[in-house]
C-alpha cells in the first residue's frame, strides 16, 4: 500500500477498525490546519503533521510531502551571562544564559536555560559589544545556577526568545534567539504561562 495516496491508505486503515485499550487510529482532518494547530496548542501538544493528500508513503526518509508544524511560544528573557563558543564559534558567544524575575516583587532572577541558536553573525557581534561592558564576577541568578564556565553580566538586556515549552525543571525547551528588546525593562520580565481555554 506504500504507493497509494495518503487518503487511500487512510481509508484502508480506518477499515481495519483498530481501536483498543492501548492503541487507536487518530482521526485526520482535511483542510483545517490553522484550527488544528490552535487546538493542539491549547492542549499543550508540541506539533501537528501536515500531509499532502496525494503523497505516497516513503519509509525512513523525510520528504516535502509531510511537514511538521511546531507550536512555538515566545517570551522575553533577561540575559544574565553567556557561554564561550566552541568549534566555528570559538572566540565568539556560544550561547546566552537567560532568566526571568519572580513575580513576587522581590528582585530574584531565576535561571531559565541556555540559548544557542537563532543568531546571525551580526547578532553575535552586537551582543558581544553590548555584553562586554556589563561583565561582573558573580552570578546574578538565585537558586539553580547556569554552567560553571558562564561569563556573568549585569542583568540589563532583554532578549526575545522562541521556545517549545517549559521543562519540569523550569528551563526552556528548544529555545531560539529572535532579537533584543530595547523597549522592555529587564525588571518587568517574569515567566509567562499560556492561558488555557
Amino acid at each position: 500500500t506504500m504507493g497509494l495516496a495518503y487518503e487511500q491508505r487512510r481509508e484502508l486503515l480506518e477499515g481495519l477498525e483498530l481501536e483498543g485499550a492501548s492503541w487507536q487510529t487518530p482521526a485526520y482532518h482535511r483542510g483545517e490546519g490553522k484550527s488544528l494547530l490552535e487546538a493542539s496548542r491549547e492542549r499543550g501538544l508540541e506539533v501537528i503533521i501536515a500531509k499532502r493528500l496525494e503523497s505516497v508513503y516513503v519509509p525512513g526518509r523525510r520528504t516535502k510531502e509531510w511537514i511538521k508544524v511546531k507550536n512555538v511560544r515566545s517570551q522575553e528573557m533577561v540575559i544574565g551571562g553567556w557561554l564561550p563558543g566552541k568549534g566555528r564559534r570559538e572566540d565568539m558567544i556560544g550561547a546566552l544564559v537567560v532568566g526571568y524575575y519572580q513575580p513576587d516583587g522581590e528582585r530574584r532572577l531565576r535561571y531559565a536555560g541556555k540559548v544557542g541558536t537563532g543568531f546571525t553573525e551580526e547578532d553575535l557581534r552586537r551582543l558581544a559589544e553590548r555584553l562586554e561592558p556589563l561583565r561582573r564576577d558573580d552570578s546574578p541568578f538565585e537558586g539553580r545556577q547556569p554552567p560553571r564556565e558562564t561569563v556573568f553580566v549585569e542583568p540589563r538586556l532583554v532578549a526575545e526568545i522562541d521556545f517549545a515549552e517549559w521543562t519540569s525543571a523550569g528551563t526552556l525547551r528548544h529555545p531560539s534567539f529572535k532579537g533584543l528588546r530595547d523597549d522592555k525593562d529587564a525588571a518587568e520580565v517574569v515567566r509567562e504561562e499560556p492561558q488555557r481555554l
Side-chain angles (χ1 to χ4, degrees):
T1 61
M2 291 190 295
L4 297 176
Y6 176 75
E7 284 191 308
Q8 292 172 300
R9 294 193 318 276
R10 283 296 309 200
E11 197 173 303
L12 291 171
L13 181 62
E14 289 169 4
L16 296 174
E17 299 180 6
L18 298 174
E19 298 292 329
S22 300
W23 63 87
Q24 67 177 349
T25 302
Y28 87 100
H29 303 272
R30 183 184 182 129
E32 300 174 20
K34 286 184 181 180
S35 59
L36 284 172
L37 185 62
E38 182 58 35
S40 71
R41 183 178 297 118
E42 290 171 5
R43 287 166 180 78
L45 301 176
E46 188 175 329
V47 67
I48 64 170
I49 306 294
K51 300 178 180 182
R52 289 194 186 279
L53 298 178
E54 68 276 2
S55 68
V56 299
Y57 185 77
V58 183
R61 264 190 333 143
R62 289 185 182 220
T63 72
K64 294 179 181 177
E65 305 299 308
W66 291 17
I67 299 171
K68 189 184 290 189
V69 183
K70 294 183 178 182
N71 281 310
V72 177
R73 295 172 60 182
S74 187
Q75 156 137 21
E76 296 94 13
M77 286 283 154
V78 178
I79 301 172
W82 54 275
L83 292 164
K86 297 175 184 168
R88 70 174 187 83
R89 274 210 211 155
E90 194 171 0
D91 300 323
M92 301 170 82
I93 292 173
L96 295 176
V97 176
V98 298
Y100 58 91
Y101 284 103
Q102 291 291 101
D104 57 13
E106 294 184 30
R107 288 190 46 88
R108 296 183 299 158
L109 187 63
R110 295 292 182 203
Y111 174 65
K114 308 174 292 191
V115 182
T117 63
F119 306 104
T120 65
E121 295 288 325
E122 178 63 19
D123 289 334
L124 293 170
R125 187 192 61 72
R126 263 193 0 225
L127 283 163
E129 284 177 3
R130 302 234 0 225
L131 291 172
E132 186 59 35
L134 299 176
R135 274 191 192 232
R136 62 187 271 175
D137 294 330
D138 60 332
S139 174
F141 298 99
E142 288 196 22
R144 182 176 176 197
Q145 293 295 308
R148 189 174 301 139
E149 62 272 19
T150 300
V151 177
F152 295 112
V153 297
E154 292 295 331
R156 295 187 191 152
L157 297 181
V158 176
E160 185 74 26
I161 306 296
D162 280 356
F163 65 104
E165 64 181 343
W166 287 100
T167 68
S168 59
T171 57
L172 303 171
R173 185 181 310 279
H174 307 304
S176 179
F177 177 80
K178 294 300 164 195
L180 288 175
R181 290 286 308 266
D182 292 324
D183 61 327
K184 183 90 173 185
D185 184 343
E188 298 173 4
V189 175
V190 296
R191 178 172 165 167
E192 299 170 4
E193 290 295 340
Q195 300 297 313
R196 300 274 185 205
L197 299 178

